[in-house]
Amino acid sequence: MKKLFYNAKFYALEAQIEIYNAMLVENDKILDLYQEIPSFDCERIDLKEACVLPGFTDTHTHSFEGGLYNKGVDLSKAETIKDVLDLLAHAQPISGMIFAWQYDENNIKEKRFPNYEELSKTIPQYPLLLRRIDGHSCAINKKACECIGFEKKLAEDPKSVLKGYANDHVAHWFHQNLDNQAIIDSYQNACQIAMQNGLTGIHTMIGDAQNSYLHFPLIFNNLDSFPINIIPYPQSFNIDQALNIGSKRIGGCILADGSFGSHTAALFEPYYDQPNNYGVPYQSQEFWDQFILNAHLNDLQTGVHCIGDFAIEQLISAIEKAQNTVFKDLRHQIIHCELLNEEQIEKMASLNISAVMQPMFDRLWGGPDGYYSKVLGAERTKRTTRLKSLIDKNILVTGGSDWYITELNPLKGIHASVNIHYKPERLSVFEAIKLFTSNASCLSFEEKTKGILKKGYFADFVCLNEDIFNSESIDNILVDQVYYKGKNVFKR
């Protein structure tokens, strides 16, 4: 059945000025776009003066964790340790465990994590996982320590905050002990949140960031059961596993370093507030050289978490060696790509490296008075979130939320991109939208079927209540409807 969508402004986004007044869809594909509304007989759908864009895609999410934690305890509004403990006291268990997230000790009066004793007294009967907002630190209670089998000295340290390997080990113990129904429910919940925010696609990691891809086969073999496009990454270093399951990519959030918030991002120069700390490179150069080369030779697109400039340099060097062996269009990803120098940008351009970035990081922590300045210094902070510098070198840059770290909301990501604190790195509205549409489709090699409104492309589109190109507050625009492959999957 043909459907004619009309009474809207359709931004095709193949070129900035392409605006249409009607779009014809049959089944899951776009048949045509029109300047003048045609009069032929078909089902006609009035979009009530909406602004229509291609459906958004978020190219970096932890959707399993986001969907799961969204059912847990949100600590983002807590102001004191007492607030935190009061919220935890009313928590409901999921598969016999308590999950709490969005914790930022910098927003707490006491400027610390709740300690082991406080958490154990508040939640004595269930294992408890409390995760920092950046995911790179966590705290647990006595019950969790007993279940996981952590060393007694760690459990008895009242100031214990888990970072690095310990943080990852603990988090994945919790994830591994969920039943299959809770896992599927988490992804379905993630899809519902995604659709509410205009997304028709999400890239997501599944694995322990070491050598297990956890429930990857469960999701990979059931992709058609989800209401939007899920692009999963086996979040593992195990290349054989990725190849055996039929994945075209590997990684997504396997770690080259940590985060600025935990002072574990690997830097060339020490932290501004910790002059003897250069962060933590999680692997050697030799390790990355071998891993990237093996993936490259097996035609696997790689995605690696790199925050600091030292870690970014490790990955650029490894990809350069692989490309010098045999040049391939695999669009290897540097995830986050936060702190860059000019030479690194030039190398990324020559090596066809993609930058999968999170504009909301700058909105939350950038600027001369932001958290980045406190840990990096004001001058070095200007070299973070370098969207414009990368795009001007024709590097493929895409937008992600790193959800659950920041909201699964591309409109807020677009708003952040056009309002980067350091003005030379700001994008135009058109450039910012492309991060979450046509650029995102290129990252997954879907640029001939998705990412723009064009004849023959999938009918994935979002209807907004305001013209995004003429809005003074993009982050306040509302999503009215979302269509995925021609089907209405969300209506406000």
Side-chain angles (χ1 to χ4, degrees):
M1 180 70 178
K2 294 179 181 179
K3 299 178 181 179
L4 183 73
F5 296 88
Y6 71 102
N7 192 19
K9 188 180 287 187
F10 296 84
Y11 285 98
L13 294 188
E14 188 171 15
Q16 188 167 357
I17 59 173
E18 289 182 310
I19 303 172
Y20 297 91
N21 294 308
M23 182 169 69
L24 186 65
V25 171
E26 184 173 28
N27 297 324
D28 59 355
K29 298 288 179 61
I30 297 170
L31 287 185
D32 218 338
L33 295 108
Y34 306 92
Q35 301 288 354
E36 300 292 333
I37 299 175
S39 58
F40 51 73
D41 288 338
C42 66
E43 182 180 353
R44 303 170 81 84
I45 299 175
D46 184 348
L47 293 181
K48 304 184 185 304
E49 300 183 344
C51 169
V52 179
L53 302 176
F56 298 129
T57 294
D58 188 312
T59 55
H60 188 71
T61 75
H62 300 264
S63 287
F64 164 57
E65 290 91 333
L68 171 65
Y69 297 167
N70 193 261
K71 298 178 180 180
V73 183
D74 183 349
L75 299 176
S76 61
K77 305 298 183 185
E79 297 180 356
T80 66
I81 293 294
K82 183 179 183 302
D83 291 343
V84 173
L85 299 177
D86 287 346
L87 288 167
L88 291 175
H90 295 91
Q92 295 298 314
I94 302 170
S95 287
M97 299 174 285
I98 301 294
F99 295 87
W101 65 316
Q102 296 283 63
Y103 187 72
D104 189 345
E105 73 278 14
N106 297 299
N107 296 333
I108 298 294
K109 180 182 178 181
E110 294 87 347
K111 303 296 181 187
R112 66 173 176 87
F113 273 68
N115 63 42
Y116 172 80
E117 185 175 311
E118 292 165 335
L119 295 176
S120 300
K121 183 177 180 181
T122 304
I123 305 286
Q125 70 274 45
Y126 301 111
L128 163 69
L129 173 66
L130 185 155
R131 301 208 76 178
R132 192 181 188 278
I133 189 171
D134 63 3
H136 288 271
S137 305
C138 72
I140 56 177
N141 63 351
K142 181 179 180 180
K143 187 67 174 179
C145 283
E146 292 172 350
C147 292
I148 298 169
F150 259 32
E151 297 90 341
K152 185 177 179 181
K153 64 178 182 180
L154 176 62
E156 293 180 347
D157 180 357
K159 297 181 181 179
S160 177
V161 176
L162 308 180
K163 300 181 180 181
Y165 170 76
N167 171 72
D168 296 339
H169 177 73
V170 163
H172 290 297
W173 179 88
F174 277 83
H175 300 162
Q176 287 168 339
N177 282 278
L178 291 164
D179 58 44
N180 281 355
Q181 190 57 55
I183 293 167
I184 292 291
D185 288 348
S186 295
Y187 283 98
Q188 292 289 2
N189 190 38
C191 288
Q192 294 301 316
I193 295 168
M195 291 185 296
Q196 292 168 17
N197 289 293
L199 288 153
T200 56
I202 48 177
H203 294 224
T204 188
M205 281 66 64
I206 307 173
D208 70 352
Q210 291 296 321
N211 286 295
S212 170
Y213 55 16
L214 296 179
H215 55 262
F216 184 92
L218 174 67
I219 302 304
F220 190 76
N221 293 326
N222 287 280
L223 292 176
D224 291 341
S225 69
F226 297 105
I228 59 174
N229 186 31
I230 293 181
I231 299 174
Y233 292 64
Q235 186 183 341
S236 164
F237 291 110
N238 194 322
I239 289 173
D240 288 339
Q241 279 185 341
L243 293 171
N244 288 339
I245 196 64
S247 178
K248 297 178 181 178
R249 51 190 59 86
I250 189 169
C253 206
I254 49 177
L255 305 177
D257 64 348
S259 72
F260 295 141
S262 297
H263 290 81
T264 51
L267 310 176
F268 281 123
E269 300 173 23
Y271 282 90
Y272 184 77
D273 61 336
Q274 296 184 7
N276 294 319
N277 183 7
Y278 289 77
V280 183
Y282 285 8
Q283 305 288 349
S284 68
Q285 186 65 59
E286 291 74 20
F287 175 91
W288 288 120
D289 290 348
Q290 190 61 53
F291 173 77
I292 295 295
L293 179 61
N294 286 347
H296 186 81
L297 293 177
N298 282 285
D299 295 325
L300 287 174
Q301 181 189 43
T302 60
V304 179
H305 164 117
C306 301
I307 295 282
D309 49 5
F310 183 91
I312 291 170
E313 186 65 30
Q314 283 188 307
L315 265 294
I316 290 175
S317 178
I319 294 170
E320 182 175 28
K321 291 166 187 170
Q323 290 285 43
N324 286 341
T325 301
V326 53
F327 199 94
K328 296 184 179 183
D329 180 23
L330 292 174
R331 304 171 198 181
H332 294 302
Q333 307 172 26
I334 292 183
I335 309 291
H336 308 311
C337 206
E338 272 294 270
L339 180 62
L340 282 166
N341 60 44
E342 301 300 327
E343 183 179 354
Q344 289 173 330
I345 293 173
E346 294 287 347
K347 283 186 177 180
M348 288 179 66
S350 68
L351 295 169
N352 196 28
I353 298 174
S354 305
V356 178
M357 303 186 70
Q358 290 66 49
M360 278 299 293
F361 283 10
D362 177 82
R363 182 64 11 204
L364 294 171
W365 304 305
D369 300 317
Y371 183 73
Y372 282 3
S373 285
K374 293 178 182 178
V375 298
L376 298 175
E379 283 304 310
R380 196 164 28 166
T381 297
K382 293 177 182 178
R383 292 197 285 110
T384 60
T385 318
R386 301 192 66 181
L387 299 176
K388 187 65 174 175
S389 293
L390 289 160
I391 286 174
D392 284 350
K393 292 294 183 181
N394 295 316
I395 293 168
L396 178 62
V397 182
T398 69
S401 59
D402 203 15
W403 186 61
Y404 59 97
I405 307 303
T406 75
E407 289 183 61
L408 188 63
N409 189 324
L411 287 168
K412 289 193 174 183
I414 291 166
H415 176 81
S417 301
V418 301
N419 291 283
I420 294 292
H421 283 93
Y422 186 52
K423 291 183 179 180
E425 296 298 344
R426 291 180 178 177
L427 301 183
S428 68
V429 175
F430 178 63
E431 290 171 325
I433 294 171
K434 287 180 67 177
L435 300 182
F436 295 90
T437 55
S438 56
N439 288 12
S441 69
C442 286
L443 188 71
S444 53
F445 300 88
E446 296 176 298
E447 63 266 34
K448 294 183 179 179
T449 59
K450 296 176 180 285
I452 59 176
L453 301 181
K454 185 177 181 179
K455 182 177 179 179
Y457 279 54
F458 283 114
D460 299 347
F461 58 96
V462 56
C463 305
L464 307 177
N465 76 329
E466 184 181 339
D467 188 340
I468 194 170
F469 287 97
N470 295 291
S471 174
E472 294 182 359
S473 185
I474 293 172
D475 57 337
N476 288 324
I477 293 175
L478 298 176
V479 174
D480 280 339
Q481 298 188 74
V482 176
Y483 285 80
Y484 175 63
K485 293 187 176 181
K487 295 180 180 180
N488 185 277
V489 292
F490 172 76
K491 188 172 185 178
R492 180 167 63 91

